[in-house]
């Protein structure tokens, strides 16, 4: 599971820069914008952030850190209909949790509505914007196609005076939604469709989460984003590939409003796609609203809050983002790489505990009744400084049902009639008798232990299998939630005539109510991370109450990614 297996050229990679870093370093060399680096992360507050946003956060904040620059958090809140304060708060929490701090206060595009409005009037006065009375469908039809030019609107040649009056009337609420729009006057025959007189403002009689009822016209993304960058002094405006075709428009608007030589520069990179995952906020919202998951932070969701609740650490997500790198072309990352990143991190930091998920009682017939002895066990073999603790051993224990077979195949190295296994950090036991109920179900095993085989006491005979166990007398009753992928198809949203929900994995959540944990886990608190021996990494769920601990499995131990890369 070491790095050599994953990226043999990691050292080389480190030395070479990604294409965005190349651009930034060249801009610094040329003293562009006085050699400053100022980035921003601009989420629209219309949902919770997901792992794709985490990539963008790590990139933007990471570049600012690397080049001694700054990074803003800007809420891109130009659409009053879908935006909510709950989302704003979750976004701030997630950015902080990932370990980043934005420059100053969070910014809001809505804070710039006055300035944007002034610039719109300025464009009108320069004859570069006009009010169009046509309905949206007509405007869309007139845009033409990528291979044929568009048609000019009959309102295109209104005078600046008339446009100004109409635009002010739009602002003052004289018109209904959709009755008029403000358009930039650029070029209806441009080969770039986005340059064919794009809409700058639309009428929306909707209250805004910050500006309330002040506005009934709202700027479009294209008229807001670059100007917001400009207002904030952003130097490198990093966005995903779908905005590449918007870049000429981004630059055109800036050319109209900029006064000096300072210019933000838009740079596009490929968005992160993960296999077995949907990442569109619209689809994630649908899962939440239809109660297919328990909420935005359901541990099966690819949201940052879901990953956190699942037991992912900020470090594991940042490492993952690093490994993924920045690409210029769309690609799909194997979700196994994300799972590998959290295993790698938790392997170093998580203490090992024993928990039995599906208990089968074992009675050690030659162990004195009423006796308890404390056995020493290592907290974390990967971290010798983490010391040891004691685990109680007594006459009645639990092991996993799956660790016993009455008629085992040859290579079953766990417990079976007449066979021996070691109990982790304890003794070797031998199964003498199988007790069944009237239906023939196994209810108990009678075993004997060998007192000479206590772990850590010198030379010992060897047995093939080692099992985890919990003393029945001391066991803590806990609930354990096991998760699997939410979808059972590698590309759930990629099927033309099928809804992504058809690919939901019906077994994505298993709740186990009767698990037995070693008593030390009494002290477990939400946010703690553990390895349960042989079962995987776990964290405490916020549903935990004092009498009822609940654990989420973050990932099982089996590491598909490490195995895959080792084979090569
Ligand atoms: P969606 O399409 O799901 O609504 P979005 O891109 O509209 O997502 P925003 O809130 O606008 O969501 O995104 C904020 C920032 O995060 C943008 O700069 C966007 O480019 C970036 N981003 C969003 N999704 C991804 C992704 N999958 N990979 C990398 N960056 C992303
Ligand atoms: Mg967006």
């Amino acid at each position: 599971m070491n790095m050599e297996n994953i990226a043999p050229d990691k050292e080389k990679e480190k030395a070479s820069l990604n294409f965005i870093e190349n651009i930034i370093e060249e801009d610094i060399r040329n003293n562009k914008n006085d050699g400053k680096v100022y980035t921003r992360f601009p989420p629209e507050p219309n949902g919770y952030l997901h792992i794709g946003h985490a990539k963008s956060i790590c990139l933007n904040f990471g570049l600012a850190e690397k080049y001694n620059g700054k990074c803003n958090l800007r809420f891109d809140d130009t659409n009053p209909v879908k935006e909510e304060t709950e989302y704003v708060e979750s976004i701030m929490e997630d950015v902080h949790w990932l370990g980043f701090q934005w420059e100053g206060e969070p910014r809001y595009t809505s804070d710039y509505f006055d300035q944007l409005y002034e610039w719109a009037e300025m464009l009108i006065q320069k004859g570069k914007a006009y009010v169009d009375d046509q309905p949206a469908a007509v405007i869309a039809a007139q845009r033409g196609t990528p291979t044929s030019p568009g048609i000019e609107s009959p309102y295109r040649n209104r005078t600046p005076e008339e446009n100004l009056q109409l635009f002010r009337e739009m602002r003052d609420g004289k018109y209904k939604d959709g009755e008029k729009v403000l358009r930039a006057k650029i070029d209806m025959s441009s080969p770039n469709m986005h340059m064919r007189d794009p809409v700058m403002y639309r009428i929306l009689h909707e209250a805004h989460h910050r500006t309330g009822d002040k506005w009934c016209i709202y700027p479009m993304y294209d008229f807001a984003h670059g100007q917001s960058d400009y207002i904030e002094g952003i130097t490198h405006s990093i966005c995903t590939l779908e905005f590449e075709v918007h870049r000429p428009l981004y630059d055109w608007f800036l050319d109209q409003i900029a006064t000096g030589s300072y210019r933000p520069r838009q740079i596009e990179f490929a968005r992160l796609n993960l296999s077995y995952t949907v990442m569109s906020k619209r689809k994630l919202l649908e899962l939440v609203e239809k109660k297919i998951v328990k909420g935005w932070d359901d541990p099966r969701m690819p949201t940052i809050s879901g990953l956190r609740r699942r037991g992912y650490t900020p470090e594991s997500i940042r490492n993952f983002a690093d490994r993924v790198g920045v690409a210029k072309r769309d690609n799909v990352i194997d979700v196994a790489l994300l799972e590998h990143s959290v295993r790698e991190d938790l392997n170093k930091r998580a203490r090992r505990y024993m928990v039995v998920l599906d208990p089968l009682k074992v009675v050690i017939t030659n162990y004195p009744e009423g006796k308890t002895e404390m056995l020493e066990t290592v907290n974390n073999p990967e971290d010798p400084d983490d010391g040891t603790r004691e685990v109680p051993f007594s006459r009645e224990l639990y092991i996993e049902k799956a660790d016993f077979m009455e008629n085992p195949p040859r290579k079953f190295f766990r417990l079976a009639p007449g066979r021996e296994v070691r109990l982790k950090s304890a003794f070797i036991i031998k199964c003498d008798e199988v007790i069944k109920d009237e239906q023939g179900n196994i209810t108990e095993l009678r075993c004997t232990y060998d007192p000479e085989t206590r772990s850590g006491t010198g030379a010992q005979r060897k047995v093939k299998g080692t099992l985890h166990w919990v003393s029945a007398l001391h066991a803590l009753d806990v609930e354990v939630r096991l998760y699997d992928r939410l979808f059972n198809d590698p590309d759930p949203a990629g099927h033309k005539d099928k809804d992504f929900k058809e690919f939901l994995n019906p077994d994505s959540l298993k709740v186990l109510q009767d698990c037995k944990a070693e008593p030390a886990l009494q002290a477990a608190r939400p946010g703690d991370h553990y390895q349960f021996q042989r079962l995987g990494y776990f964290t405490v769920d916020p549903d935990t109450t004092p009498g009822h601990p609940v654990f989420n499995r973050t990932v099982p131990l089996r590491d598909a990614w490490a195995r895959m890369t080792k084979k090569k």
Side-chain angles (χ1 to χ4, degrees), residues 40-46 49-50 52-53 55-56 60 238-240 242-243 269-273 279-282:
R40 86 287 171 265
F41 172 64
E44 186 180 345
N46 61 352
L49 298 181
H50 54 58
H53 295 114
K55 169 70 213 169
S56 176
N60 279 294
I238 297 161
C239 61
T240 41
E242 67 271 25
F243 291 102
F269 75 105
R271 65 172 48 229
L272 169 70
N273 299 303
M279 215 103 89
S280 122
K281 275 190 274 189
R282 193 177 52 74

Side-chain angles (χ1 to χ4, degrees), residues 5 11 31 59 149 165 173 178 187 218 244 308 342 398 403 559:
N5 293 328
E11 281 317 302
N31 205 36
L59 184 59
Q165 189 195 331
D187 180 3
Y218 291 94
E244 189 171 8
R308 174 165 65 232
V342 74
Y398 294 113
D403 282 338
D559 193 335

